[in-house]
Amino acid sequence: MNRLKFFFCTAAFTSSMSLAQTTLTPGTVSYSIEQNGKKLGAASYTIESQPNKYVITSTGKMVEDKFSYAFSNTQKLDTSLNLITDQLSGVVNGKAVSFNAASDPSGRQFNLHISANGTEQTNAVDRDQNTALLTDLDPAGYMLFAKIAMRSPSHSWALIPKENGFLVPVTFTPQPDTQGHLNGQSVPVKYVIAAISSQNAVTIELFYSPDGHLLEADLPQQNFYVIREGFKLTNRPKPPAPPHGQAPPAQDQLGQPQQPNSKLIEQ
């Protein structure tokens, strides 16, 4: 059985161009983590609105046979959902790991610090627009990706916090709208597939409301489903063949354009 294809997937985005403000609704939303119809764990996120920024805290925990995984994440974003700082920690089979990101004084790069398996790694990457913080089985990350997908960007990015951290492109492929039920009420559902990496892509199927509230995120290669409490798809659509994704052109950013690191997500 496939484990998580990547442990932590995280990123920040900023731009010298002004992005349209995206509103987040304060409050807590809870999700179940499922596999083959069986609940393995739970996750949630809480959005707090503060002057000129949002604070999103998220937690999750799951157990699958002899595999256990838990995470806790706190990220601060501006009103356009650009990441300011992130503090992410987790425990995988009893081993602690952590990932921290903070903007450098210029505001053009993130300084990264990763601790795992008794080693420390540091790196710096550009702060790019249309990039989301994405942690395995973290509904907050999937919700932010849904918000980016709603912008129909020409390019977007994910920062993978393995090794010393590296960027990969993300390609969104809209699918036909579908329907679902939330707390017994019929609701329209938007459906987008996100392909992570430029080839041999890991895909995430995002289901969300027309105003960007995450309803479900499916990880078909890993056979995991993150489903909002009280939500059920009326008819689960059959996804198309996984897209390979194409590396987008150099992005707008605060600083010089950068070509992404093309290293693939470790399988």
Side-chain angles (χ1 to χ4, degrees):
M1 181 177 296
N2 289 333
R3 302 297 186 186
L4 300 178
K5 295 264 179 114
F6 46 96
F7 171 50
F8 283 140
C9 176
T10 179
F13 72 109
T14 192
S15 172
S16 58
M17 300 176 63
S18 176
L19 295 177
Q21 290 196 350
T22 305
T23 301
L24 297 182
T25 303
T28 300
V29 187
S30 298
Y31 297 78
S32 63
I33 300 172
E34 301 182 9
Q35 186 178 75
N36 297 324
K38 179 182 178 181
K39 184 175 180 179
L40 302 179
S44 67
Y45 64 77
T46 298
I47 298 172
E48 180 183 358
S49 180
Q50 296 185 0
N52 300 318
K53 65 176 177 289
Y54 293 104
V55 178
I56 304 177
T57 57
S58 54
T59 60
K61 183 178 181 180
M62 63 152 285
V63 177
E64 179 201 7
D65 297 329
K66 297 181 180 180
F67 176 73
S68 63
Y69 166 61
F71 68 87
S72 178
N73 192 28
T74 299
Q75 50 185 315
K76 296 180 181 179
L77 305 97
D78 67 20
T79 54
S80 291
L81 306 189
N82 299 322
L83 187 67
I84 303 171
T85 63
D86 173 66
Q87 294 182 326
L88 173 63
S89 61
V91 179
V92 181
N93 285 343
K95 296 182 179 180
V97 298
S98 66
F99 173 84
N100 297 313
S103 174
D104 72 357
S106 72
R108 297 174 177 174
Q109 288 189 319
F110 276 111
N111 292 324
L112 309 179
H113 182 269
I114 302 171
S115 175
N117 299 319
T119 62
E120 305 286 329
Q121 296 280 348
T122 60
N123 195 11
V125 297
D126 289 325
R127 299 178 71 202
D128 306 318
Q129 65 172 322
N130 297 321
T131 308
L133 177 70
L134 182 66
T135 305
D136 281 328
L137 305 181
D138 184 353
Y142 304 139
M143 177 271 294
L144 291 172
F145 255 152
K147 293 290 188 180
I148 292 176
M150 291 173 66
R151 296 171 173 169
S152 300
S154 60
H155 54 268
S156 53
W157 306 88
L159 172 64
I160 310 300
K162 292 176 71 76
E163 302 175 2
N164 64 340
F166 52 92
L167 290 167
V168 294
V170 178
T171 301
F172 294 107
T173 306
Q175 304 298 316
D177 293 351
T178 184
Q179 289 288 129
H181 284 82
L182 179 62
N183 299 324
Q185 299 294 317
S186 179
V187 293
V189 178
K190 307 296 287 185
Y191 175 27
V192 169
I193 294 178
I196 315 297
S197 189
S198 57
Q199 52 184 315
N200 296 328
V202 172
T203 58
I204 302 172
E205 298 177 37
L206 301 170
F207 299 90
Y208 54 94
S209 66
D211 55 356
H213 291 280
L214 180 73
L215 300 170
E216 180 171 330
D218 298 349
L219 288 72
Q221 286 104 327
Q222 296 94 329
N223 195 25
F224 285 110
Y225 301 81
V226 179
I227 305 173
R228 180 169 175 165
E229 295 290 350
F231 176 73
K232 183 177 179 60
L233 282 169
T234 302
N235 294 299
R236 183 173 299 280
K238 183 178 180 180
H244 293 291
Q246 297 294 326
Q251 65 276 30
D252 296 316
Q253 59 190 11
L254 296 178
Q256 296 298 317
Q258 171 192 310
Q259 293 298 325
N261 189 324
S262 61
K263 184 170 182 177
L264 301 182
I265 298 171
E266 296 183 3
Q267 304 296 309

